[in-house]
Amino acid sequence: GRWIKQRFPVTPIIMGGPNIRHDQDGIKSFLEEHEYVDVYISFEGEIPFTGLLTQILKRFPNGKCNPVDIRAFDIDSCFSLENGSLRGKHATENSNNLDYIPSPYTTGLLDAFLIPEFIPLFESNRGCPHTCSYCTWGSSVRSHVKKFSRERLKADMEYVAKTGKLFSKWTFADANFGILPRDVEIARDIREIYEKYHPFHNLTIWWDKNA
């Protein structure tokens, strides 16, 4: 990011993820140390990142945006430094049903990437009730589990399987697969799809710590 900013100063740089402290002092300290970051998005990024892009397209229709202006946007979960002061606040919690996020598979957005050299990534739930000290999943603001519907996940898996490509693996991004009773049914869906299409050699899954 710093390399890009030095060479192309008008390029806005937006970062995100749960891998920094989420208190105000922690966010400010991170942005002060990484001055090239214009906006940092906390936790789930779909809604705030969409809001950020919407504002950029609305305010800069010619595509020539000014990162200084972007830092002044008032969008929940988007944090920035403006004249040395921290702007932003965490968004209030959204729905526990994640189906509001459009599927990148069934909408065709990832068709160009469904090639055997790449690894399809699936997600059935988010969040973690555990508080392991080595992991950010279990922080207090992410302690409850949200989920995509079983139907949504099965449609995604079938879409990828029907391409006829043989992938080295499929990866499931869940922090705790098996934490929900329905995960047994999802496992049966995976098995059914495998028996019908044989679309992968193996699976990478992170299991629930207690189940």
Side-chain angles (χ1 to χ4, degrees):
R2 183 174 283 112
W3 186 93
I4 292 172
K5 204 68 161 181
Q6 289 171 349
R7 288 156 182 79
F8 309 99
V10 297
T11 301
I13 294 182
I14 301 159
M15 294 181 66
N19 46 351
I20 68 169
R21 287 166 48 197
H22 51 79
D23 58 282
Q24 296 283 309
D25 289 341
I27 297 172
K28 183 178 181 182
S29 175
F30 178 88
L31 291 173
E32 288 174 340
E33 182 178 352
H34 304 87
E35 76 290 342
Y36 55 88
V37 177
D38 295 302
V39 176
Y40 193 95
I41 297 177
S42 63
F43 305 116
E44 293 174 285
E46 286 89 355
I47 291 176
F49 190 52
T50 298
L52 187 60
L53 291 178
T54 299
Q55 287 298 317
I56 290 173
L57 293 171
K58 179 180 178 180
R59 301 191 191 192
F60 308 104
N62 61 1
K64 296 181 179 180
C65 56
N66 185 342
V68 174
D69 294 333
I70 293 174
R71 292 188 180 206
F73 287 178
D74 187 18
I75 300 172
D76 285 356
S77 291
C78 292
F79 292 87
S80 61
L81 282 182
E82 188 180 27
N83 298 321
S85 298
L86 182 68
R87 290 181 59 95
K89 62 180 180 178
H90 293 294
T92 54
E93 201 57 60
N94 51 38
S95 171
N96 287 334
N97 180 353
L98 295 171
D99 282 355
Y100 71 86
I101 303 170
S103 167
Y105 290 117
T106 58
T107 55
L109 289 172
L110 290 181
D111 283 357
F113 299 94
L114 294 178
I115 57 177
E117 292 81 4
F118 290 170
I119 298 172
L121 183 72
F122 302 96
E123 185 179 35
S124 74
N125 69 62
R126 290 180 182 173
C128 178
H130 308 307
T131 55
C132 307
S133 61
Y134 56 82
C135 178
T136 62
W137 269 110
S139 64
S140 60
V141 291
R142 298 170 65 83
S143 60
H144 62 286
V145 177
K146 302 179 180 184
K147 56 185 181 292
F148 290 97
S149 66
R150 178 186 171 194
E151 295 74 21
R152 154 70 180 267
L153 177 62
K154 188 173 183 179
D156 281 352
M157 293 191 295
E158 286 187 325
Y159 186 92
V160 174
K162 287 179 179 178
T163 64
K165 307 290 177 53
L166 176 59
F167 298 92
S168 63
K169 70 169 69 176
W170 281 6
T171 295
F172 285 77
D174 302 11
N176 297 284
F177 188 83
I179 197 171
L180 301 173
R182 64 151 196 177
D183 289 348
V184 175
E185 300 304 319
I186 292 175
R188 292 193 175 108
D189 292 338
I190 297 170
R191 181 72 184 191
E192 176 188 323
I193 290 170
Y194 177 79
E195 294 290 352
K196 186 174 182 179
Y197 299 101
H198 291 88
F200 54 82
H201 284 298
N202 60 64
L203 299 173
T204 295
I205 295 176
W206 289 272
W207 304 103
D208 179 38
K209 314 304 180 292
N210 293 342

PDB file of all heavy atoms in Angstrom, residues 44 46-47 93-102 123-126 144-153 180 182:
ATOM      1  N   GLU A  44     -17.333  -7.214   9.276  1.00  0.00           N
ATOM      2  CA  GLU A  44     -17.943  -7.606   8.001  1.00  0.00           C
ATOM      3  C   GLU A  44     -17.964  -6.429   7.034  1.00  0.00           C
ATOM      4  O   GLU A  44     -18.429  -5.341   7.377  1.00  0.00           O
ATOM      5  CB  GLU A  44     -19.354  -8.130   8.240  1.00  0.00           C
ATOM      6  CG  GLU A  44     -19.369  -9.446   9.005  1.00  0.00           C
ATOM      7  CD  GLU A  44     -20.768  -9.882   9.358  1.00  0.00           C
ATOM      8  OE1 GLU A  44     -21.353  -9.298  10.285  1.00  0.00           O
ATOM      9  OE2 GLU A  44     -21.277 -10.809   8.720  1.00  0.00           O
ATOM     10  N   GLU A  46     -19.225  -6.295   3.633  1.00  0.00           N
ATOM     11  CA  GLU A  46     -20.089  -6.188   2.451  1.00  0.00           C
ATOM     12  C   GLU A  46     -20.894  -4.891   2.419  1.00  0.00           C
ATOM     13  O   GLU A  46     -20.920  -4.177   1.409  1.00  0.00           O
ATOM     14  CB  GLU A  46     -21.040  -7.396   2.376  1.00  0.00           C
ATOM     15  CG  GLU A  46     -20.382  -8.684   1.961  1.00  0.00           C
ATOM     16  CD  GLU A  46     -19.834  -9.471   3.137  1.00  0.00           C
ATOM     17  OE1 GLU A  46     -19.888  -8.972   4.287  1.00  0.00           O
ATOM     18  OE2 GLU A  46     -19.344 -10.592   2.911  1.00  0.00           O
ATOM     19  N   ILE A  47     -21.571  -4.574   3.526  1.00  0.00           N
ATOM     20  CA  ILE A  47     -22.434  -3.390   3.536  1.00  0.00           C
ATOM     21  C   ILE A  47     -21.628  -2.088   3.541  1.00  0.00           C
ATOM     22  O   ILE A  47     -21.877  -1.205   2.713  1.00  0.00           O
ATOM     23  CB  ILE A  47     -23.414  -3.454   4.726  1.00  0.00           C
ATOM     24  CG1 ILE A  47     -24.444  -4.568   4.493  1.00  0.00           C
ATOM     25  CG2 ILE A  47     -24.123  -2.117   4.921  1.00  0.00           C
ATOM     26  CD1 ILE A  47     -25.395  -4.778   5.648  1.00  0.00           C
ATOM     27  N   GLU A  93     -25.339  -4.108  14.603  1.00  0.00           N
ATOM     28  CA  GLU A  93     -25.360  -5.479  14.080  1.00  0.00           C
ATOM     29  C   GLU A  93     -26.429  -5.631  13.022  1.00  0.00           C
ATOM     30  O   GLU A  93     -27.553  -5.138  13.157  1.00  0.00           O
ATOM     31  CB  GLU A  93     -25.619  -6.457  15.225  1.00  0.00           C
ATOM     32  CG  GLU A  93     -25.170  -7.865  14.920  1.00  0.00           C
ATOM     33  CD  GLU A  93     -23.688  -7.930  14.561  1.00  0.00           C
ATOM     34  OE1 GLU A  93     -22.848  -7.560  15.372  1.00  0.00           O
ATOM     35  OE2 GLU A  93     -23.405  -8.359  13.445  1.00  0.00           O
ATOM     36  N   ASN A  94     -26.073  -6.320  11.911  1.00  0.00           N
ATOM     37  CA  ASN A  94     -27.077  -6.590  10.888  1.00  0.00           C
ATOM     38  C   ASN A  94     -27.659  -7.988  11.090  1.00  0.00           C
ATOM     39  O   ASN A  94     -27.405  -8.651  12.078  1.00  0.00           O
ATOM     40  CB  ASN A  94     -26.477  -6.410   9.481  1.00  0.00           C
ATOM     41  CG  ASN A  94     -25.172  -7.181   9.316  1.00  0.00           C
ATOM     42  OD1 ASN A  94     -25.039  -8.285   9.827  1.00  0.00           O
ATOM     43  ND2 ASN A  94     -24.225  -6.596   8.613  1.00  0.00           N
ATOM     44  N   SER A  95     -28.411  -8.442  10.128  1.00  0.00           N
ATOM     45  CA  SER A  95     -29.188  -9.671  10.270  1.00  0.00           C
ATOM     46  C   SER A  95     -28.318 -10.887  10.532  1.00  0.00           C
ATOM     47  O   SER A  95     -27.189 -10.993  10.056  1.00  0.00           O
ATOM     48  CB  SER A  95     -30.009  -9.880   8.993  1.00  0.00           C
ATOM     49  OG  SER A  95     -30.624 -11.149   8.991  1.00  0.00           O
ATOM     50  N   ASN A  96     -28.874 -11.844  11.297  1.00  0.00           N
ATOM     51  CA  ASN A  96     -28.194 -13.117  11.501  1.00  0.00           C
ATOM     52  C   ASN A  96     -28.302 -14.021  10.283  1.00  0.00           C
ATOM     53  O   ASN A  96     -27.618 -15.039  10.196  1.00  0.00           O
ATOM     54  CB  ASN A  96     -28.772 -13.841  12.717  1.00  0.00           C
ATOM     55  CG  ASN A  96     -28.352 -13.188  14.017  1.00  0.00           C
ATOM     56  OD1 ASN A  96     -27.312 -12.546  14.098  1.00  0.00           O
ATOM     57  ND2 ASN A  96     -29.157 -13.351  15.050  1.00  0.00           N
ATOM     58  N   ASN A  97     -29.190 -13.663   9.356  1.00  0.00           N
ATOM     59  CA  ASN A  97     -29.345 -14.421   8.111  1.00  0.00           C
ATOM     60  C   ASN A  97     -28.493 -13.746   7.035  1.00  0.00           C
ATOM     61  O   ASN A  97     -28.769 -12.619   6.631  1.00  0.00           O
ATOM     62  CB  ASN A  97     -30.820 -14.458   7.701  1.00  0.00           C
ATOM     63  CG  ASN A  97     -31.051 -15.226   6.415  1.00  0.00           C
ATOM     64  OD1 ASN A  97     -30.103 -15.641   5.745  1.00  0.00           O
ATOM     65  ND2 ASN A  97     -32.315 -15.421   6.058  1.00  0.00           N
ATOM     66  N   LEU A  98     -27.466 -14.430   6.564  1.00  0.00           N
ATOM     67  CA  LEU A  98     -26.518 -13.823   5.627  1.00  0.00           C
ATOM     68  C   LEU A  98     -26.953 -13.900   4.174  1.00  0.00           C
ATOM     69  O   LEU A  98     -26.212 -13.467   3.285  1.00  0.00           O
ATOM     70  CB  LEU A  98     -25.149 -14.503   5.785  1.00  0.00           C
ATOM     71  CG  LEU A  98     -24.458 -14.300   7.135  1.00  0.00           C
ATOM     72  CD1 LEU A  98     -23.225 -15.194   7.236  1.00  0.00           C
ATOM     73  CD2 LEU A  98     -24.076 -12.844   7.332  1.00  0.00           C
ATOM     74  N   ASP A  99     -28.134 -14.414   3.897  1.00  0.00           N
ATOM     75  CA  ASP A  99     -28.566 -14.552   2.501  1.00  0.00           C
ATOM     76  C   ASP A  99     -28.781 -13.208   1.809  1.00  0.00           C
ATOM     77  O   ASP A  99     -28.999 -13.165   0.600  1.00  0.00           O
ATOM     78  CB  ASP A  99     -29.858 -15.377   2.418  1.00  0.00           C
ATOM     79  CG  ASP A  99     -29.590 -16.870   2.561  1.00  0.00           C
ATOM     80  OD1 ASP A  99     -28.412 -17.257   2.634  1.00  0.00           O
ATOM     81  OD2 ASP A  99     -30.571 -17.650   2.595  1.00  0.00           O
ATOM     82  N   TYR A 100     -28.735 -12.104   2.576  1.00  0.00           N
ATOM     83  CA  TYR A 100     -28.862 -10.788   1.937  1.00  0.00           C
ATOM     84  C   TYR A 100     -27.652 -10.482   1.046  1.00  0.00           C
ATOM     85  O   TYR A 100     -27.704  -9.588   0.201  1.00  0.00           O
ATOM     86  CB  TYR A 100     -29.032  -9.692   2.988  1.00  0.00           C
ATOM     87  CG  TYR A 100     -27.798  -9.382   3.796  1.00  0.00           C
ATOM     88  CD1 TYR A 100     -26.841  -8.474   3.343  1.00  0.00           C
ATOM     89  CD2 TYR A 100     -27.580 -10.000   5.028  1.00  0.00           C
ATOM     90  CE1 TYR A 100     -25.700  -8.202   4.089  1.00  0.00           C
ATOM     91  CE2 TYR A 100     -26.443  -9.730   5.767  1.00  0.00           C
ATOM     92  CZ  TYR A 100     -25.515  -8.835   5.303  1.00  0.00           C
ATOM     93  OH  TYR A 100     -24.385  -8.566   6.025  1.00  0.00           O
ATOM     94  N   ILE A 101     -26.558 -11.208   1.237  1.00  0.00           N
ATOM     95  CA  ILE A 101     -25.367 -11.013   0.411  1.00  0.00           C
ATOM     96  C   ILE A 101     -25.542 -11.811  -0.872  1.00  0.00           C
ATOM     97  O   ILE A 101     -25.688 -13.035  -0.827  1.00  0.00           O
ATOM     98  CB  ILE A 101     -24.107 -11.491   1.150  1.00  0.00           C
ATOM     99  CG1 ILE A 101     -23.955 -10.757   2.487  1.00  0.00           C
ATOM    100  CG2 ILE A 101     -22.869 -11.306   0.283  1.00  0.00           C
ATOM    101  CD1 ILE A 101     -22.870 -11.327   3.384  1.00  0.00           C
ATOM    102  N   PRO A 102     -25.529 -11.177  -2.041  1.00  0.00           N
ATOM    103  CA  PRO A 102     -25.704 -11.928  -3.291  1.00  0.00           C
ATOM    104  C   PRO A 102     -24.601 -12.962  -3.469  1.00  0.00           C
ATOM    105  O   PRO A 102     -23.452 -12.744  -3.103  1.00  0.00           O
ATOM    106  CB  PRO A 102     -25.624 -10.843  -4.370  1.00  0.00           C
ATOM    107  CG  PRO A 102     -25.926  -9.554  -3.657  1.00  0.00           C
ATOM    108  CD  PRO A 102     -25.404  -9.735  -2.268  1.00  0.00           C
ATOM    109  N   GLU A 123     -18.790 -20.634   2.344  1.00  0.00           N
ATOM    110  CA  GLU A 123     -18.996 -20.167   3.716  1.00  0.00           C
ATOM    111  C   GLU A 123     -20.432 -20.493   4.111  1.00  0.00           C
ATOM    112  O   GLU A 123     -21.368 -20.078   3.428  1.00  0.00           O
ATOM    113  CB  GLU A 123     -18.743 -18.660   3.798  1.00  0.00           C
ATOM    114  CG  GLU A 123     -18.803 -18.092   5.188  1.00  0.00           C
ATOM    115  CD  GLU A 123     -18.510 -16.593   5.215  1.00  0.00           C
ATOM    116  OE1 GLU A 123     -18.904 -15.877   4.264  1.00  0.00           O
ATOM    117  OE2 GLU A 123     -17.891 -16.142   6.186  1.00  0.00           O
ATOM    118  N   SER A 124     -20.605 -21.222   5.215  1.00  0.00           N
ATOM    119  CA  SER A 124     -21.962 -21.516   5.678  1.00  0.00           C
ATOM    120  C   SER A 124     -22.326 -20.725   6.918  1.00  0.00           C
ATOM    121  O   SER A 124     -23.498 -20.471   7.166  1.00  0.00           O
ATOM    122  CB  SER A 124     -22.119 -23.017   5.953  1.00  0.00           C
ATOM    123  OG  SER A 124     -21.466 -23.403   7.150  1.00  0.00           O
ATOM    124  N   ASN A 125     -21.310 -20.331   7.722  1.00  0.00           N
ATOM    125  CA  ASN A 125     -21.605 -19.498   8.887  1.00  0.00           C
ATOM    126  C   ASN A 125     -20.427 -18.600   9.214  1.00  0.00           C
ATOM    127  O   ASN A 125     -19.309 -18.811   8.733  1.00  0.00           O
ATOM    128  CB  ASN A 125     -22.015 -20.360  10.091  1.00  0.00           C
ATOM    129  CG  ASN A 125     -20.870 -21.183  10.651  1.00  0.00           C
ATOM    130  OD1 ASN A 125     -19.876 -20.647  11.124  1.00  0.00           O
ATOM    131  ND2 ASN A 125     -21.010 -22.510  10.617  1.00  0.00           N
ATOM    132  N   ARG A 126     -20.689 -17.592  10.047  1.00  0.00           N
ATOM    133  CA  ARG A 126     -19.670 -16.656  10.514  1.00  0.00           C
ATOM    134  C   ARG A 126     -19.818 -16.469  12.009  1.00  0.00           C
ATOM    135  O   ARG A 126     -20.905 -16.560  12.553  1.00  0.00           O
ATOM    136  CB  ARG A 126     -19.836 -15.266   9.863  1.00  0.00           C
ATOM    137  CG  ARG A 126     -19.514 -15.192   8.413  1.00  0.00           C
ATOM    138  CD  ARG A 126     -19.718 -13.766   7.924  1.00  0.00           C
ATOM    139  NE  ARG A 126     -19.448 -13.666   6.497  1.00  0.00           N
ATOM    140  CZ  ARG A 126     -19.669 -12.577   5.769  1.00  0.00           C
ATOM    141  NH1 ARG A 126     -20.155 -11.494   6.343  1.00  0.00           N
ATOM    142  NH2 ARG A 126     -19.399 -12.581   4.487  1.00  0.00           N
ATOM    143  N   HIS A 144     -21.496 -14.210  18.301  1.00  0.00           N
ATOM    144  CA  HIS A 144     -22.639 -15.018  17.901  1.00  0.00           C
ATOM    145  C   HIS A 144     -22.468 -15.477  16.455  1.00  0.00           C
ATOM    146  O   HIS A 144     -21.721 -14.887  15.676  1.00  0.00           O
ATOM    147  CB  HIS A 144     -23.948 -14.248  18.064  1.00  0.00           C
ATOM    148  CG  HIS A 144     -24.049 -13.015  17.226  1.00  0.00           C
ATOM    149  ND1 HIS A 144     -23.359 -11.861  17.508  1.00  0.00           N
ATOM    150  CD2 HIS A 144     -24.752 -12.765  16.089  1.00  0.00           C
ATOM    151  CE1 HIS A 144     -23.633 -10.943  16.597  1.00  0.00           C
ATOM    152  NE2 HIS A 144     -24.464 -11.471  15.725  1.00  0.00           N
ATOM    153  N   VAL A 145     -23.141 -16.551  16.119  1.00  0.00           N
ATOM    154  CA  VAL A 145     -22.960 -17.203  14.832  1.00  0.00           C
ATOM    155  C   VAL A 145     -24.072 -16.787  13.877  1.00  0.00           C
ATOM    156  O   VAL A 145     -25.264 -16.929  14.182  1.00  0.00           O
ATOM    157  CB  VAL A 145     -22.936 -18.736  14.991  1.00  0.00           C
ATOM    158  CG1 VAL A 145     -22.821 -19.416  13.631  1.00  0.00           C
ATOM    159  CG2 VAL A 145     -21.778 -19.144  15.893  1.00  0.00           C
ATOM    160  N   LYS A 146     -23.690 -16.253  12.720  1.00  0.00           N
ATOM    161  CA  LYS A 146     -24.628 -15.939  11.644  1.00  0.00           C
ATOM    162  C   LYS A 146     -24.512 -17.033  10.586  1.00  0.00           C
ATOM    163  O   LYS A 146     -23.490 -17.710  10.497  1.00  0.00           O
ATOM    164  CB  LYS A 146     -24.290 -14.590  11.009  1.00  0.00           C
ATOM    165  CG  LYS A 146     -24.285 -13.429  11.971  1.00  0.00           C
ATOM    166  CD  LYS A 146     -23.913 -12.157  11.230  1.00  0.00           C
ATOM    167  CE  LYS A 146     -23.905 -10.960  12.149  1.00  0.00           C
ATOM    168  NZ  LYS A 146     -23.627  -9.719  11.409  1.00  0.00           N
ATOM    169  N   LYS A 147     -25.528 -17.164   9.762  1.00  0.00           N
ATOM    170  CA  LYS A 147     -25.438 -18.254   8.794  1.00  0.00           C
ATOM    171  C   LYS A 147     -26.119 -17.920   7.473  1.00  0.00           C
ATOM    172  O   LYS A 147     -27.072 -17.146   7.403  1.00  0.00           O
ATOM    173  CB  LYS A 147     -26.039 -19.529   9.372  1.00  0.00           C
ATOM    174  CG  LYS A 147     -27.483 -19.433   9.855  1.00  0.00           C
ATOM    175  CD  LYS A 147     -27.907 -20.743  10.515  1.00  0.00           C
ATOM    176  CE  LYS A 147     -29.355 -20.687  10.989  1.00  0.00           C
ATOM    177  NZ  LYS A 147     -29.550 -19.762  12.108  1.00  0.00           N
ATOM    178  N   PHE A 148     -25.555 -18.517   6.417  1.00  0.00           N
ATOM    179  CA  PHE A 148     -26.227 -18.607   5.135  1.00  0.00           C
ATOM    180  C   PHE A 148     -27.198 -19.786   5.209  1.00  0.00           C
ATOM    181  O   PHE A 148     -26.953 -20.759   5.941  1.00  0.00           O
ATOM    182  CB  PHE A 148     -25.227 -18.848   4.001  1.00  0.00           C
ATOM    183  CG  PHE A 148     -24.338 -17.673   3.704  1.00  0.00           C
ATOM    184  CD1 PHE A 148     -23.068 -17.592   4.246  1.00  0.00           C
ATOM    185  CD2 PHE A 148     -24.772 -16.650   2.862  1.00  0.00           C
ATOM    186  CE1 PHE A 148     -22.239 -16.509   3.973  1.00  0.00           C
ATOM    187  CE2 PHE A 148     -23.955 -15.566   2.578  1.00  0.00           C
ATOM    188  CZ  PHE A 148     -22.684 -15.497   3.139  1.00  0.00           C
ATOM    189  N   SER A 149     -28.275 -19.724   4.458  1.00  0.00           N
ATOM    190  CA  SER A 149     -29.221 -20.834   4.473  1.00  0.00           C
ATOM    191  C   SER A 149     -28.589 -22.068   3.827  1.00  0.00           C
ATOM    192  O   SER A 149     -27.689 -21.969   2.985  1.00  0.00           O
ATOM    193  CB  SER A 149     -30.503 -20.465   3.723  1.00  0.00           C
ATOM    194  OG  SER A 149     -30.231 -20.289   2.335  1.00  0.00           O
ATOM    195  N   ARG A 150     -29.051 -23.217   4.246  1.00  0.00           N
ATOM    196  CA  ARG A 150     -28.562 -24.465   3.653  1.00  0.00           C
ATOM    197  C   ARG A 150     -28.846 -24.475   2.150  1.00  0.00           C
ATOM    198  O   ARG A 150     -28.009 -24.938   1.354  1.00  0.00           O
ATOM    199  CB  ARG A 150     -29.243 -25.647   4.344  1.00  0.00           C
ATOM    200  CG  ARG A 150     -28.848 -26.996   3.776  1.00  0.00           C
ATOM    201  CD  ARG A 150     -29.663 -28.114   4.395  1.00  0.00           C
ATOM    202  NE  ARG A 150     -29.458 -29.374   3.726  1.00  0.00           N
ATOM    203  CZ  ARG A 150     -30.240 -30.440   3.891  1.00  0.00           C
ATOM    204  NH1 ARG A 150     -31.276 -30.391   4.721  1.00  0.00           N
ATOM    205  NH2 ARG A 150     -29.985 -31.573   3.222  1.00  0.00           N
ATOM    206  N   GLU A 151     -30.006 -23.955   1.766  1.00  0.00           N
ATOM    207  CA  GLU A 151     -30.369 -23.928   0.348  1.00  0.00           C
ATOM    208  C   GLU A 151     -29.414 -23.072  -0.458  1.00  0.00           C
ATOM    209  O   GLU A 151     -29.022 -23.423  -1.573  1.00  0.00           O
ATOM    210  CB  GLU A 151     -31.805 -23.425   0.185  1.00  0.00           C
ATOM    211  CG  GLU A 151     -32.873 -24.325   0.770  1.00  0.00           C
ATOM    212  CD  GLU A 151     -32.936 -24.275   2.292  1.00  0.00           C
ATOM    213  OE1 GLU A 151     -32.439 -23.271   2.867  1.00  0.00           O
ATOM    214  OE2 GLU A 151     -33.473 -25.223   2.895  1.00  0.00           O
ATOM    215  N   ARG A 152     -29.034 -21.923   0.109  1.00  0.00           N
ATOM    216  CA  ARG A 152     -28.095 -21.032  -0.578  1.00  0.00           C
ATOM    217  C   ARG A 152     -26.744 -21.714  -0.765  1.00  0.00           C
ATOM    218  O   ARG A 152     -26.153 -21.675  -1.856  1.00  0.00           O
ATOM    219  CB  ARG A 152     -27.971 -19.746   0.233  1.00  0.00           C
ATOM    220  CG  ARG A 152     -26.671 -18.953   0.100  1.00  0.00           C
ATOM    221  CD  ARG A 152     -26.511 -18.290  -1.262  1.00  0.00           C
ATOM    222  NE  ARG A 152     -25.247 -17.578  -1.275  1.00  0.00           N
ATOM    223  CZ  ARG A 152     -25.103 -16.282  -0.945  1.00  0.00           C
ATOM    224  NH1 ARG A 152     -26.150 -15.572  -0.577  1.00  0.00           N
ATOM    225  NH2 ARG A 152     -23.922 -15.704  -1.001  1.00  0.00           N
ATOM    226  N   LEU A 153     -26.243 -22.335   0.306  1.00  0.00           N
ATOM    227  CA  LEU A 153     -24.944 -22.991   0.221  1.00  0.00           C
ATOM    228  C   LEU A 153     -24.973 -24.136  -0.774  1.00  0.00           C
ATOM    229  O   LEU A 153     -24.042 -24.300  -1.580  1.00  0.00           O
ATOM    230  CB  LEU A 153     -24.529 -23.506   1.600  1.00  0.00           C
ATOM    231  CG  LEU A 153     -23.220 -24.291   1.647  1.00  0.00           C
ATOM    232  CD1 LEU A 153     -22.047 -23.413   1.217  1.00  0.00           C
ATOM    233  CD2 LEU A 153     -22.984 -24.876   3.026  1.00  0.00           C
ATOM    234  N   LEU A 180     -23.317 -26.162  14.423  1.00  0.00           N
ATOM    235  CA  LEU A 180     -24.774 -26.119  14.323  1.00  0.00           C
ATOM    236  C   LEU A 180     -25.306 -27.512  13.985  1.00  0.00           C
ATOM    237  O   LEU A 180     -24.689 -28.233  13.187  1.00  0.00           O
ATOM    238  CB  LEU A 180     -25.217 -25.127  13.243  1.00  0.00           C
ATOM    239  CG  LEU A 180     -24.755 -23.681  13.435  1.00  0.00           C
ATOM    240  CD1 LEU A 180     -25.111 -22.848  12.211  1.00  0.00           C
ATOM    241  CD2 LEU A 180     -25.400 -23.076  14.686  1.00  0.00           C
ATOM    242  N   ARG A 182     -27.549 -28.393  11.994  1.00  0.00           N
ATOM    243  CA  ARG A 182     -27.803 -28.537  10.559  1.00  0.00           C
ATOM    244  C   ARG A 182     -26.538 -28.855   9.774  1.00  0.00           C
ATOM    245  O   ARG A 182     -26.612 -29.226   8.600  1.00  0.00           O
ATOM    246  CB  ARG A 182     -28.434 -27.264  10.003  1.00  0.00           C
ATOM    247  CG  ARG A 182     -27.490 -26.061  10.096  1.00  0.00           C
ATOM    248  CD  ARG A 182     -27.751 -25.063   9.016  1.00  0.00           C
ATOM    249  NE  ARG A 182     -26.630 -24.135   8.895  1.00  0.00           N
ATOM    250  CZ  ARG A 182     -26.587 -23.190   7.979  1.00  0.00           C
ATOM    251  NH1 ARG A 182     -27.582 -23.028   7.142  1.00  0.00           N
ATOM    252  NH2 ARG A 182     -25.535 -22.392   7.897  1.00  0.00           N
TER     253      ARG A 182
END
